[in-house]
Amino acid sequence: MGHKIRISPYAYISGVLLLMVVPARWWIGAVLAAFFHELSHLGAIYLTGGQVIGISIGGLGAKMETLPMSRGREVLCALAGPLGSLLVAFGLPFFPEASLCATVQGIYNILPVYPLDGGRILRALFPEAVCAGIEVFTFIMLLGLGIWCCFAADLGILPMIPGFAALIRTVNRKIPCKEPKTAVQ
């Protein structure tokens, strides 16, 4: 196998902060949901004949470096993570924190914004110009929904976090230009 697994210092710091601030049942649920989400991607990659070269874990998620995949395999492997999250959401009724974390993670990851799973699916199926338009529309809708939740629904600033997180991930992404292809999970 010989995978290179790298964990960023940011992931360590955010993990320590998570342990100090969030109750144990919630961070265990979040870690369990993330683990099964990534395990689903990994399983799909191997089941479709793909090969993982390296795995990086950072504060904004995990990244798997793979050999190039066909469009169909890319779609299947990208869908596997949100489907794994759905299995955790419905498969752990005795652990509602993990179920809720898996549901939120699955919904967030299926957003049509690259490098999220939904964005990877979108880019595998449509031309770049179409994907860019859909991403911009998604940002506008997420930020509009977040603003509505803040003021009209009086939910505070928390609903705006997914929109800003997706925006930050997209702005900070590095599009690979050489082999191996990087598939961001």
Side-chain angles (χ1 to χ4, degrees):
M1 291 253 292
H3 300 320
K4 296 178 190 173
I5 299 178
R6 297 174 297 279
I7 301 176
S8 76
Y10 179 74
Y12 285 120
I13 293 168
S14 60
V16 169
L17 290 174
L18 186 71
L19 292 173
M20 292 174 18
V21 175
V22 178
R25 287 188 58 81
W26 282 102
W27 62 260
I28 291 170
V31 169
L32 185 66
F35 175 76
F36 278 105
H37 179 93
E38 298 305 329
L39 189 62
S40 299
H41 283 302
L42 190 63
I45 290 167
Y46 283 119
L47 287 174
T48 60
Q51 185 177 357
V52 175
I53 298 169
I55 300 171
S56 299
I57 301 170
L60 294 175
K63 179 173 63 172
M64 292 185 197
E65 296 173 39
T66 67
L67 293 179
M69 290 189 255
S70 68
R71 290 176 184 255
R73 284 190 352 194
E74 180 77 18
V75 169
L76 287 174
C77 293
L79 271 175
L83 290 175
S85 293
L86 217 74
L87 287 174
V88 171
F90 293 112
L92 295 175
F94 57 89
F95 196 174
E97 294 85 355
S99 295
L100 181 60
C101 289
T103 301
V104 170
Q105 181 181 34
I107 291 169
Y108 175 73
N109 272 284
I110 205 68
L111 288 173
V113 175
Y114 188 82
L116 300 175
D117 298 329
R120 289 177 49 221
I121 294 166
L122 194 67
R123 288 184 181 227
L125 298 176
F126 298 103
E128 183 68 32
V130 172
C131 297
I134 292 172
E135 285 183 6
V136 168
F137 178 76
T138 302
F139 285 131
I140 292 169
M141 295 304 294
L142 279 174
L143 293 175
L145 179 63
I147 290 168
W148 180 84
C149 287
C150 280
F151 299 107
D154 199 27
L155 295 176
I157 197 166
L158 189 63
M160 292 184 72
I161 292 174
F164 284 119
L167 180 62
I168 290 167
R169 280 187 78 151
T170 300
V171 169
N172 287 331
R173 75 174 178 250
K174 294 179 183 173
I175 299 173
C177 57
K178 299 185 218 175
E179 302 304 330
K181 182 178 177 186
T182 301
V184 178
Q185 306 299 332

